Amino acid sequence: KMNYLLRLGLLSLTTLSSVNYLSAQNEDSSRAPAVSTLTPTKEALDNRMRWFNDARYGMFIHWGVYSTLSGTWHGVHYQGYGEHIQRMAKIPIPIYRDSVAGVFNPVEFNADEWVKMAKATGMKYMIITAKHHDGFAMYNSKVSDYNIMKATPFGRDPMKELKAACTKAGIKFGFYYSHAFDWGEKNGVGNDWEFDNPGGDKLLGGGNWWEKRKEFIPIAQKYVDEKSIPQILELINNYHPDIMWFDTPHKLPDEENLRILAAIRKVAPDMIVNGRESHPLGNYDYGSTSDGPYEFKEMQGYWEGIPTTNNSYGYNANDNNYKPVSYFIQLIAKASARGGNILMNIGPMGNGKFNVNDVNILNGISKWWKVNGESSIRGTSRTFLSVQAWGESTIKRDTIFLHVFQWPKDGKLVLGGIKTTIKNCFLLSQRNLKLKSQQIEGDLVINVPKACPDTIDAVVAVVFKGVLAYDKTRLLQPQLGEQKLRTFDASLRGSLKYAGESSAYIEGMKKLSDSIVWHVKQNEGGEYEVIANYWAASKQKINKLVEGDAGKELSKANAGAGGVYVIDINGTKLTHTVTNGKNITETLGKITVPKGVFNINVFAESISGEELFRLKSIVLKTVKK
């Protein structure tokens, strides 16, 4: 079973250390079941995840009494997560209950409208916040009077209405439940700006609760016994959700997370539970990316990316950093290409309506989805092919779908690494128009219209015959003009590791033996201008608190990044001294690259800081002759 989990990427050496620590050091571990008893067999996991794996796309909704404040309290405008307004503004519990929850009245809420919008956008499941960190239940809870039926003038149960609307529309339904945070309880686990509870911001980054173990354990146990488990069981028994989506497990002791999962499995053995319930213990059904992902590394097992329309999950009128429609469409393709789902977040307003910016984004995705989504996203599997210079690919049965983000100006779309006989090629937007193709040197050249049919993601279907044969070597295509090689698509050597998908860089380059490698081929020689994009921290002399996604977190003192890095392309080296900054883009020079198969390596010539730097990508820009 351990080998099975390690292979799927659901269990790591860190996980094993955590489990060993739990059993060896934890005097309260007798309260928790053994990890092995909660770990699903491969057959049980595959059966449970079948509909999820087919769906590929869902809607995440962060909505609560905080939505009415829209990121502002007493004239002070807060950036960041709108659902965190109580903590950011340090609103006392009694005032929050009376002046925020007590006036919440979303009379324009219409469950059928929400679900209709989700379905039109291609979404196949919906997950909504039943209780967020503020501790307020957005449903008719018998466990706590601090709920939408008893503590607001609204007097309706929107969760019940949404469940009914989803069932009618054939959409799976689930709940987000904050099982480890609760700012609404005097003796809760997170409201430590008023009360000296060791489960909240005073832990300075989470996970350090072991330092205050004797103080914290009774609080955590009481909360889990009296509110967390009872409300979770209430949601399961009354609403029969398809998924329970949890968050911030590092704010609870491992044994409490295990007890919660055991209670769930007892009453709903077939319900899906996300990875933020008990990470890093590894006994969950699927993993989640970091918040607000931009790129994805290669991931095993079942997983899900959770982007949001701007930079907040709950509605925040102060945040107008809305992403373009192209970001979401291409992110859906990137996730599907790697065998994952996208759970796209919407933060409805306090009146119960979607913000116009969110509606515009959803309408833009819907337009693309009607032409391409059901064929090229729904029911697809992770690709076997390498990342392509022009975009991504997904596979369904005998068809490869080419998601072309960068349309070839010469009308020649080259699919690198395919060796199988091709039966047919066509655009999803023009299905009756057969495209001519020919296989040359292990690649497929497709004659496509010179006019791009969709500048965001034009999808070409390639129907093959027999068993798919392929070569994973990445094909460089200088005719495209500019090619980005993301570090998330590279192989790592040494002690390097992929950082959060929102940052999308490689960290831990501390040794001269560490390197980032792309294995590539090129069918014709060419000259490139080489550009590097990275993040390099400046030296920080003291520890300081920074705003994280779950409270204040400790940013430790460090020696910063620095040194000289090398980009080696087929034996020709370009070097540059690291420049400190958050988003550095610098040109190293020009290089002539021959025809053939070779490696592109990035490594350190010297390291003068705590690490060299955190590389995001390199760009090869074709030099025109």
Side-chain angles (χ1 to χ4, degrees):
K1 186 173 291 183
M2 287 294 186
N3 288 336
Y4 156 65
L5 287 172
L6 284 166
R7 189 172 69 251
L8 288 182
L10 296 178
L11 198 62
S12 64
L13 293 177
T14 302
T15 298
L16 294 175
S17 298
S18 178
V19 173
N20 291 335
Y21 187 80
L22 176 64
S23 59
Q25 303 292 332
N26 187 357
E27 66 271 20
D28 296 296
S29 61
S30 59
R31 285 172 55 89
V35 173
S36 60
T37 64
L38 297 174
T39 303
T41 64
K42 183 180 186 305
E43 182 181 11
L45 181 63
D46 289 345
N47 286 338
R48 187 153 61 222
M49 297 299 295
R50 187 166 285 113
W51 72 259
F52 177 91
N53 196 48
D54 181 74
R56 286 282 171 256
Y57 185 32
M59 178 178 281
F60 209 7
I61 297 176
H62 277 64
W63 189 52
V65 297
Y66 46 79
S67 302
T68 301
L69 297 182
S70 62
T72 297
W73 178 252
H74 287 177
V76 179
H77 304 297
Y78 292 89
Q79 294 295 326
Y81 290 174
E83 67 274 20
H84 282 229
I85 184 69
Q86 184 183 8
R87 178 184 55 79
M88 291 188 291
K90 294 181 170 56
I91 305 172
I93 292 172
I95 294 177
Y96 191 84
R97 288 186 177 224
D98 292 342
S99 302
V100 182
V103 299
F104 185 65
N105 194 21
V107 293
E108 296 186 66
F109 165 73
N110 185 307
D112 289 323
E113 285 184 3
W114 286 16
V115 172
K116 182 180 179 181
M117 177 69 74
K119 189 170 185 177
T121 313
M123 294 158 170
K124 202 66 175 177
Y125 61 109
M126 176 182 288
I127 296 172
I128 185 169
T129 46
K131 179 183 83 68
H132 209 276
H133 303 334
D134 65 353
F136 185 84
M138 290 291 289
Y139 68 99
N140 188 16
S141 175
K142 307 298 185 203
V143 175
S144 170
D145 287 344
Y146 195 34
N147 70 69
I148 196 166
M149 294 289 286
K150 298 181 179 68
T152 78
F154 187 51
R156 285 162 52 191
D157 184 342
M159 304 297 107
K160 182 179 180 181
E161 295 175 24
L162 279 170
K163 167 68 177 181
C166 283
T167 300
K168 184 170 62 176
I171 291 178
K172 298 288 187 179
F173 182 70
F175 292 119
Y176 171 112
Y177 184 88
S178 177
H179 70 299
F181 258 141
D182 201 313
W183 303 326
E185 300 291 330
K186 182 175 181 180
N187 292 315
V189 190
N191 53 341
D192 63 331
W193 61 87
E194 286 188 281
F195 306 103
D196 192 18
N197 290 339
D201 292 352
K202 291 185 180 180
L203 289 184
L204 307 183
N208 297 325
W209 53 267
W210 291 102
E211 298 173 4
K212 293 187 176 183
R213 182 165 180 70
K214 291 183 180 179
E215 178 185 358
F216 180 49
I217 290 296
I219 296 172
Q221 291 176 347
K222 178 179 173 63
Y223 175 73
V224 169
D225 286 340
E226 296 181 5
K227 188 170 185 182
S228 191
I229 288 179
Q231 283 197 330
I232 291 167
L233 295 181
E234 190 175 50
L235 287 167
I236 293 172
N237 292 327
N238 294 344
Y239 301 87
H240 308 290
D242 300 291
I243 294 182
M244 286 296 295
W245 211 102
F246 297 98
D247 207 0
T248 63
H250 57 288
K251 295 295 186 179
L252 281 180
D254 287 343
E255 67 271 14
E256 297 307 308
N257 285 317
L258 287 174
R259 287 203 309 114
I260 291 171
L261 185 58
I264 292 170
R265 291 296 183 222
K266 186 175 181 180
V267 298
D270 297 325
M271 187 184 70
I272 295 172
V273 177
N274 81 314
R276 294 192 184 185
E277 194 282 326
S278 58
H279 180 77
L281 295 175
N283 49 351
Y284 47 82
D285 294 328
Y286 73 94
S288 298
T289 65
S290 59
D291 291 0
Y294 277 80
E295 300 289 357
F296 303 119
K297 57 183 177 290
E298 187 65 36
M299 291 185 268
Q300 301 303 311
Y302 301 106
W303 64 274
E304 179 182 69
I306 51 170
T308 185
T309 51
N310 52 8
N311 293 324
S312 178
Y313 282 80
Y315 179 59
N316 189 341
N318 305 312
D319 181 357
N320 290 307
N321 298 305
Y322 287 91
K323 303 174 185 74
V325 171
S326 58
Y327 162 84
F328 296 101
I329 292 173
Q330 293 181 6
L331 203 67
I332 292 168
K334 290 177 184 178
S336 298
R338 292 159 180 78
N341 288 15
I342 287 295
L343 184 64
M344 178 179 165
N345 182 76
I346 299 296
M349 298 181 291
N351 62 6
K353 302 287 286 185
F354 284 179
N355 175 271
V356 64
N357 296 295
D358 291 341
V359 172
N360 290 338
I361 290 171
L362 292 172
N363 285 338
I365 298 172
S366 177
K367 182 179 178 181
W368 178 88
W369 186 274
K370 287 175 182 177
V371 175
N372 304 287
E374 290 297 328
S375 296
S376 69
I377 300 296
R378 183 91 74 230
T380 59
S381 60
R382 68 182 73 236
T383 187
F384 299 103
L385 301 170
S386 66
V387 174
Q388 301 292 317
W390 37 257
E392 303 284 352
S393 64
T394 56
I395 296 177
K396 185 190 295 182
R397 295 184 291 275
D398 65 346
T399 304
I400 306 169
F401 297 97
L402 313 184
H403 295 263
V404 187
F405 306 157
Q406 191 176 353
W407 194 254
K409 295 179 181 179
D410 62 359
K412 304 291 183 182
L413 178 65
V414 183
L415 173 59
I418 187 166
K419 301 180 178 180
T420 304
T421 302
I422 303 303
K423 294 169 59 178
N424 189 18
C425 299
F426 58 91
L427 280 161
L428 290 188
S429 60
Q430 301 176 47
R431 295 174 185 249
N432 295 326
L433 176 62
K434 185 174 180 178
L435 302 175
K436 294 182 179 180
S437 66
Q438 56 182 324
Q439 289 176 296
I440 303 175
E441 296 186 28
D443 303 316
L444 181 69
V445 181
I446 306 170
N447 295 327
V448 296
K450 289 189 176 181
C452 179
D454 190 325
T455 57
I456 294 175
D457 180 1
V459 183
V460 176
V462 177
V463 183
F464 60 89
K465 182 178 180 181
V467 178
L468 182 63
Y470 56 91
D471 179 2
K472 289 286 286 186
T473 304
R474 179 167 179 165
L475 176 66
L476 296 182
Q477 300 189 34
Q479 71 274 16
L480 291 176
E482 188 170 295
Q483 304 172 81
K484 178 187 286 189
L485 278 68
R486 298 168 296 208
T487 52
F488 268 32
D489 298 324
S491 298
L492 307 184
R493 297 177 182 175
S495 57
L496 300 175
K497 63 179 181 179
Y498 300 104
E501 294 80 9
S502 57
S503 303
Y505 51 54
I506 302 302
E507 63 182 11
M509 187 170 274
K510 300 180 179 182
K511 300 178 182 179
L512 299 183
S513 57
D514 295 334
S515 64
I516 302 165
V517 183
W518 294 268
H519 185 58
V520 302
K521 72 171 183 176
Q522 188 162 265
N523 293 335
E524 59 182 82
E527 186 179 11
Y528 295 113
E529 186 176 59
V530 182
I531 303 166
N533 177 237
Y534 60 85
W535 181 88
S538 300
K539 184 176 181 180
Q540 183 173 298
K541 296 181 179 179
I542 60 172
N543 295 353
K544 67 178 182 178
L545 286 173
V546 296
E547 188 72 31
D549 65 357
K552 296 288 185 179
E553 301 190 356
L554 187 64
S555 176
K556 296 182 179 180
N558 64 75
V564 176
Y565 66 96
V566 179
I567 298 180
D568 181 336
I569 302 179
N570 195 34
T572 301
K573 299 176 181 178
L574 297 171
T575 63
H576 204 285
T577 301
V578 171
T579 303
N580 293 103
K582 288 187 176 180
N583 191 23
I584 301 299
T585 298
E586 55 195 14
T587 302
L588 281 74
K590 296 178 181 179
I591 187 171
T592 300
V593 181
K595 174 182 178 179
V597 179
F598 51 90
N599 286 340
I600 298 176
N601 295 281
V602 180
F603 55 90
E605 181 179 280
S606 64
I607 301 174
S608 58
E610 190 169 298
E611 61 182 345
L612 178 67
F613 63 176
R614 298 183 176 184
L615 186 67
K616 295 183 177 182
S617 64
I618 63 172
V619 173
L620 303 179
K621 190 173 182 179
T622 304
V623 177
K624 295 181 180 180
K625 296 179 181 180

